[in-house]
């Protein structure tokens, strides 16, 4: 029987945890929270931080899994890579994991490889806001070098905005380093890809809906892209180039791209399955490919079959609740009655405080649809969202 170790046992890891048990594999999970929802599903639990590489290596040496992986989260990929190296298991190298989780190293790798990407400047903790303001062109995007999920990301339109954007980025940076990048405009997509022996198997190009400036929070996705065959082919080739540039020649990838007036440019990537239910739900609904299963198989040294079984469409829309305390939630059951709606769930509960919408963690719920075309899938999501109401009162 195969044995697999998953880093993380939170709700975000549950699709992979359930899939491991469905496959009949033995499972160990690593999580700092000994009350994480995935722990009861595991055959063995190790209490440790998923970003503590040394602790993860110790756990892996004790459990001796056939594969180690995670889903939706960036920083644990460093520990995954270290453990795979120590146990001689399939996976990306520690250097590739570093390139894929440190935006400064990522952008440098793109530049060396000639991958189309925005101009960027990196700044250390000792660089003062005043000195940075004088060096950078405007408008620009300011972000922490080592975070994800739109945390710490904002637009600085001019020198007056920049000090606040710099402070905001640093407040979300583990090491105090920040990146300032070209502000790109145009349609945004992500590419869901499986790298097999250095070749990209693209499962989907996903259209993205964001709040735009200043924080660029993702509020929806749909597959397959409506950008047309010519542009989509360019996007696919660019995604493969980006994955190879950071050294991720094996395993899953989630590559974010903006189609600018000068052509597609890579924003950033993750050498992992994408979050926001893209790879756990949208890809299977649009292609028939069980992407989570494929990643588990690859982690265990098998070559998965990621050939699309069919071509349909899927979409997700996230629900903002408004700022304040949630005192009621209505309409979820009504939303689920709409034909084509396959999921409608809350990400918050009654009594939760909803802050201003500044990162993906502040979204209150979501709906997912499957249809014959992406326009129809998005329309179904919009219909479902009209049924759902978060009753919020202001604090104080």
């Amino acid at each position: 029987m195969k044995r697999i170790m998953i880093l993380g046992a939170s709700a975000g890891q549950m699709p992979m945890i359930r899939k491991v048990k469905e496959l009949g594999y033995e499972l160990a999970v690593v999580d700092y929270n000994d009350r994480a929802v995935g722990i009861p599903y595991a055959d063995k639990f190790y209490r440790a931080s998923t970003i503590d590489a040394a602790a993860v290596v110790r756990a892996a040496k004790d459990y001796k899994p056939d594969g180690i992986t995670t889903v939706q989260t960036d920083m644990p990929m460093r520990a995954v890579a270290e453990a795979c190296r120590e146990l001689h298991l399939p996976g990306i190298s520690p250097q590739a994991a570093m390139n894929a989780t440190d935006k400064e190293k990522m952008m440098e790798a793109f530049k060396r490889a000639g991958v189309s990407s925005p101009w960027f400047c990196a700044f250390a903790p000792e660089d003062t806001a005043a000195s940075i303001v004088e060096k950078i062109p405007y408008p620009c995007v300011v972000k922490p070098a080592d975070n994800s999920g739109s945390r710490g990301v904002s637009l600085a339109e001019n020198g007056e905005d920049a000090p606040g954007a710099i402070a905001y980025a640093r407040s979300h940076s583990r090491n105090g380093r920040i990146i300032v990048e070209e502000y790109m405009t145009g349609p945004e997509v992500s590419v869901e890809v499986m790298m097999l022996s250095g070749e990209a198997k693209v499962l989907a190009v996903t259209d993205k809906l964001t709040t735009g400036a200043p924080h660029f929070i993702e509020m929806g996705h749909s597959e397959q892209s409506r950008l047309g065959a010519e542009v989509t082919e360019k996007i696919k080739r660019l995604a493969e180039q980006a994955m190879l540039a950071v050294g991720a020649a094996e395993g899953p990838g989630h590559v974010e791209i903006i189609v600018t007036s000068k052509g597609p440019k890579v924003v950033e990537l993750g050498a992992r399955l994408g979050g926001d239910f893209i790879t756990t739900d949208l890809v299977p609904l649009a292609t028939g490919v069980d992407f989570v299963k494929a990643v588990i198989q690859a982690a265990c040294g098998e070559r998965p079959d990621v050939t699309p079984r069919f071509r349909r469409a899927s979409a997700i829309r996230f629900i903002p609740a408004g700022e304040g305390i949630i005192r009621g939630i209505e309409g979820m059951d009504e939303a689920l009655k709409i034909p084509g709606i396959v999921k409608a769930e809350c990400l918050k509960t009654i009594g939760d405080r909803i802050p201003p919408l500044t990162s993906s963690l502040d979204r209150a719920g979501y709906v997912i649809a499957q249809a014959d075309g992406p326009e129809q899938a998005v329309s179904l999501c919009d219909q479902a969202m009209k049924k759902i109401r978060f009753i919020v009162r202001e604090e104080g």
Side-chain angles (χ1 to χ4, degrees), residues 102-105 107 119-123 141-146 154 169 176-182:
D102 183 300
K103 291 181 174 61
E104 181 179 351
K105 294 183 187 301
M107 299 305 290
W119 61 255
F120 75 100
C121 305
F123 295 97
V141 176
V142 186
K143 57 177 71 172
D146 58 355
S154 62
R177 297 188 68 83
I178 64 168
I179 297 287
V180 176
E181 294 178 352
E182 173 186 357

Side-chain angles (χ1 to χ4, degrees), residues 219-287:
M219 298 303 292
H221 310 279
S222 61
E223 296 175 0
Q224 296 279 348
S225 177
R226 291 175 275 179
L227 290 177
E230 183 178 351
V231 174
T232 300
E233 284 305 311
K234 290 180 180 178
I235 288 168
K236 291 178 179 179
R237 289 196 297 270
L238 181 58
E240 182 175 31
Q241 293 167 8
M243 291 293 288
L244 294 174
V246 300
E250 297 286 346
H254 175 75
V255 186
E256 298 183 350
I257 292 172
I258 292 179
V259 183
T260 74
S261 59
K262 297 180 179 179
K265 293 186 178 183
V266 179
V267 180
E268 59 190 43
L269 62 76
R272 48 142 175 100
L273 283 170
D276 273 3
F277 305 92
I278 294 172
T279 44
T280 55
D281 292 75
L282 298 194
V283 168
L285 289 170
T287 69

Side-chain angles (χ1 to χ4, degrees), residues 117-367:
S117 53
W119 61 255
F120 75 100
C121 305
F123 295 97
E126 57 267 24
D127 291 314
T128 65
S131 68
I132 295 172
V133 168
E134 294 175 355
K135 294 175 183 176
I136 56 178
Y138 301 95
C140 59
V141 176
V142 186
K143 57 177 71 172
D146 58 355
N147 215 322
S148 60
S150 302
R151 299 177 189 88
V153 178
S154 62
L155 172 69
E157 294 193 27
N158 50 50
E160 293 182 1
D161 293 343
I166 292 165
Y168 180 56
R170 280 184 166 153
S171 71
H172 288 270
S173 173
R174 295 175 178 83
N175 59 18
R177 297 188 68 83
I178 64 168
I179 297 287
V180 176
E181 294 178 352
E182 173 186 357
Y183 173 45
M184 301 183 291
T185 58
E188 296 186 46
V189 301
S190 64
V191 184
E192 323 317 326
V193 58
M194 189 75 179
M195 300 297 293
L196 297 172
S197 303
E199 181 183 358
K201 303 292 185 181
V202 175
L203 280 75
V205 177
T206 309
D207 288 338
K208 181 183 300 189
L209 173 69
T210 78
T211 58
H215 298 300
F216 310 98
I217 300 131
E218 296 175 4
M219 298 303 292
H221 310 279
S222 61
E223 296 175 0
Q224 296 279 348
S225 177
R226 291 175 275 179
L227 290 177
E230 183 178 351
V231 174
T232 300
E233 284 305 311
K234 290 180 180 178
I235 288 168
K236 291 178 179 179
R237 289 196 297 270
L238 181 58
E240 182 175 31
Q241 293 167 8
M243 291 293 288
L244 294 174
V246 300
E250 297 286 346
H254 175 75
V255 186
E256 298 183 350
I257 292 172
I258 292 179
V259 183
T260 74
S261 59
K262 297 180 179 179
K265 293 186 178 183
V266 179
V267 180
E268 59 190 43
L269 62 76
R272 48 142 175 100
L273 283 170
D276 273 3
F277 305 92
I278 294 172
T279 44
T280 55
D281 292 75
L282 298 194
V283 168
L285 289 170
T287 69
V289 176
D290 190 332
F291 205 178
V292 175
K293 177 181 176 181
V295 170
I296 293 167
Q297 291 173 322
C300 293
E302 301 172 28
R303 187 177 178 88
D305 180 6
V306 291
T307 306
R309 272 68 170 170
F310 52 75
R311 185 176 178 86
R312 295 199 70 194
S314 56
I316 185 170
R317 287 295 183 262
F318 290 95
I319 308 167
E323 189 176 348
I325 303 292
I326 296 177
R327 61 183 180 87
I329 303 169
E330 299 175 347
M332 282 290 177
D333 290 341
E334 290 301 310
L336 282 167
K337 292 177 183 177
I338 298 173
I341 294 298
V342 297
K343 273 189 180 182
E345 293 185 351
C346 297
L347 297 171
K348 305 292 182 182
T349 61
I350 293 172
D352 282 352
R353 184 182 69 82
I354 307 297
L357 190 62
T358 59
S359 86
S360 57
L361 296 177
D362 303 325
R363 301 171 305 194
Y366 68 91
V367 293

